[in-house]
Amino acid sequence: MNSMEGLVTQIQGLSSTASDVLMLQNLLKQANDSLHAESTRLLPFLDQLDPSKHSLGYLYFLEACTAGPITKEQASSYVLIIARFLSSCVSEQIRLASHKFISVCKRFKDQLVLLGEPLRGFALMLTAIRKFQSSTEHLTALHPEFLLLCLLAKSYKTGHSVLEEDIFEVDQPKDLFLYCYYGGMICIGQKHFQKALELLHNVVTAPMFAVNAIAVEAYKKYILVSLILHGQFSTSLPKYSSSAAQRNLRSLCQDNNLGLVKQVVSSLYKQNIQRLTQTYLTLSLQDIANTVQLSSVREAEMHVLQMIQDVEIYATINQKDGMVRFLEDPEQYKTIEMIERIDSSIQRLMILSKKITLTDELMSCDPSYLSKGCRERQKFDFDDYDSVPQRFNV
């Protein structure tokens, strides 16, 4: 215990300058095993440290404290301690022990789930992400944890705010798989099926040496969302999908997807109604019910009203004679708001194009990529390759 008191004193004295913090980091690494050996006795020492000034030392003590099994009663107090740390810690110091910071944040999520209170973790987990990531384009191991909390609390709008950011830097492949899978489920919860399909597509087509459980679950939902959005799906994956995915992601199991299946059935009725708008200007609710094979006029009316509310069709219903009049899209695409929205999309696409070009240039100079390309090239005839663009000819 005397050694722990001495370590606390060193943390208090070596947390002011960057050079001192680096020295402290080496001391803490050497003391790591001792901290874990004394993990059950470390909690009182946290009161002697200020997480806003001694972030690195506080993190080492906190990670050791939470490393062992925790009861539900202990979880309540630890949640408060971790919450205080996450709201006050300094980015420059926590990044020096990134694996410990990630571990503490994941345990924070686990404790909230144990308490049945995922709602309490949204703001703090998002704060942790912002402090840990190098930029908003950086996907961290904490992104999936944040999205999972949003899913468990069914707070889809909160999770969707993170999904709107463009990602260009990923720490671990598993982080990307979980981020896209959880993100796809959040978009399904919001009925943003186009975005959901895009995220699930990223999971299914991502590079993988062997099919993992995340990709299998994503593929099941990918098929169902395709049916909801387009009324059909392709059994073949794009050519850029991994060979493992193309070989194994073929079967759809009927587990844990009942909610999506029900939405598929509903979407098929909607798509049949949308086809009627391309043929008729007016149509009775009875004719719609008969054509779409709905059980009653009332059910047809409810589907049409819901589609009007969701802006899936433009129509009016005459309650007197039960006639539906289909209308044209009223948007003229020339309002100031629409022009600003289009301009914003163009600017974003230009930035994306520049980043893709830069990534392509960096990859073309990567030794690993070039050596693999040479090995693959030996398997094919030269006639299988496109001619080299003139500007690259020597």
Side-chain angles (χ1 to χ4, degrees):
M1 293 298 290
N2 290 333
S3 63
M4 292 299 107
E5 291 173 354
L7 186 57
V8 169
T9 302
Q10 288 178 315
I11 291 171
Q12 292 170 338
L14 294 174
S15 297
S16 54
T17 66
S19 58
D20 285 346
V21 171
L22 289 176
M23 188 183 302
L24 176 62
Q25 182 186 16
N26 292 327
L27 292 173
L28 289 169
K29 285 181 178 179
Q30 295 171 12
N32 189 59
D33 291 340
S34 299
L35 286 170
H36 279 263
E38 298 283 349
S39 60
T40 57
R41 305 179 182 180
L42 295 180
L43 199 58
F45 291 106
L46 291 177
D47 294 332
Q48 302 177 38
L49 299 173
D50 184 345
S52 64
K53 297 178 181 178
H54 316 122
S55 299
L56 184 60
Y58 199 102
L59 175 59
Y60 267 80
F61 271 74
L62 184 58
E63 190 274 332
C65 283
T66 58
I70 294 177
T71 64
K72 193 171 184 179
E73 291 71 22
Q74 291 174 316
S76 298
S77 58
Y78 276 123
V79 162
L80 295 175
I81 294 171
I82 297 175
R84 176 171 173 251
F85 169 70
L86 293 179
S87 61
S88 307
C89 63
V90 179
S91 298
E92 291 74 13
Q93 292 193 27
I94 61 171
R95 289 174 185 167
L96 294 175
S98 58
H99 62 291
K100 289 187 176 295
F101 184 71
I102 291 171
S103 295
V104 167
C105 290
K106 288 186 175 182
R107 291 167 193 168
F108 177 62
K109 179 265 298 180
D110 292 338
Q111 290 159 14
L112 288 171
V113 173
L114 178 63
L115 294 171
E117 301 176 357
L119 193 63
R120 291 174 59 186
F122 295 164
L124 288 167
M125 191 64 77
L126 187 57
T127 298
I129 289 173
R130 297 309 181 209
K131 289 185 177 184
F132 185 64
Q133 65 182 170
S134 55
S135 72
T136 56
E137 298 175 351
H138 176 204
L139 178 65
T140 70
L142 303 181
H143 280 78
E145 306 298 323
F146 170 73
L147 294 177
L148 180 57
L149 286 175
C150 295
L151 275 173
L152 293 174
K154 297 184 179 180
S155 182
Y156 306 128
K157 187 176 181 180
T158 304
H160 196 267
S161 62
V162 170
L163 299 174
E164 293 175 347
E165 298 170 353
D166 294 322
I167 299 297
F168 292 98
E169 181 184 351
V170 180
D171 289 338
Q172 296 294 330
K174 184 180 178 181
D175 301 336
L176 178 64
F177 279 98
L178 286 174
Y179 169 81
C180 292
Y181 177 67
Y182 290 150
M185 292 178 68
I186 283 174
C187 290
I188 290 171
Q190 286 194 297
K191 299 190 183 299
H192 293 170
F193 295 117
Q194 184 61 55
K195 180 67 174 178
L197 192 65
E198 175 189 326
L199 289 165
L200 294 171
H201 178 269
N202 290 342
V203 180
V204 173
T205 60
M208 63 183 87
F209 293 107
V211 172
N212 55 67
I214 306 170
V216 172
E217 291 301 317
Y219 186 63
K220 298 173 186 176
K221 291 176 174 58
Y222 175 75
I223 292 176
L224 292 171
V225 174
S226 297
L227 289 171
I228 291 172
L229 198 60
H230 304 301
Q232 60 183 3
F233 73 94
S234 175
T235 56
S236 60
L237 295 174
K239 291 183 178 180
Y240 51 80
S241 305
S242 67
S243 56
Q246 295 193 35
R247 285 196 307 269
N248 299 303
L249 292 179
R250 298 294 183 186
S251 61
L252 175 63
C253 300
Q254 297 179 3
D255 57 337
N256 300 322
N257 290 293
L258 180 60
L260 265 181
V261 171
K262 290 180 178 178
Q263 291 189 62
V264 168
V265 175
S266 176
S267 73
L268 293 177
Y269 289 132
K270 289 182 178 181
Q271 288 172 26
N272 287 333
I273 293 173
Q274 284 177 327
R275 292 191 186 98
L276 295 177
T277 68
Q278 300 171 10
T279 307
Y280 301 96
L281 291 176
T282 58
L283 200 62
S284 69
L285 287 170
Q286 183 63 61
D287 288 337
I288 292 176
N290 294 339
T291 305
V292 180
Q293 298 182 349
L294 292 169
S295 58
S296 66
V297 172
R298 177 61 178 167
E299 190 176 355
E301 183 180 10
M302 295 304 297
H303 272 87
V304 172
L305 287 173
Q306 186 63 53
M307 293 179 71
I308 293 173
Q309 182 179 337
D310 295 339
V311 199
E312 294 175 326
I313 61 172
Y314 301 95
T316 59
I317 301 177
N318 189 325
Q319 297 292 343
K320 291 183 179 180
D321 54 14
M323 297 297 293
V324 179
R325 182 186 177 194
F326 299 117
L327 308 173
E328 296 291 334
D329 183 354
E331 177 61 63
Q332 298 298 312
Y333 298 95
K334 59 183 181 182
T335 62
I336 295 176
E337 292 79 7
M338 182 57 69
I339 292 173
E340 290 177 349
R341 185 175 174 184
I342 293 173
D343 181 67
S344 175
S345 298
I346 292 173
Q347 295 298 325
R348 185 181 178 189
L349 287 173
M350 291 173 65
I351 294 172
L352 178 61
S353 176
K354 289 179 181 179
K355 288 184 177 293
I356 292 174
T357 301
L358 177 61
T359 302
D360 184 62
E361 291 175 354
L362 292 173
M363 184 177 291
S364 65
C365 300
D366 184 82
S368 300
Y369 173 77
L370 292 173
S371 62
K372 183 176 181 180
C374 290
R375 291 195 301 271
E376 294 293 330
R377 189 181 181 90
Q378 296 172 4
K379 300 179 183 179
F380 303 97
D381 295 330
F382 285 102
D383 293 339
D384 293 331
Y385 291 84
D386 295 332
S387 58
V388 178
Q390 186 174 359
R391 66 190 182 94
F392 289 113
N393 284 333
V394 180

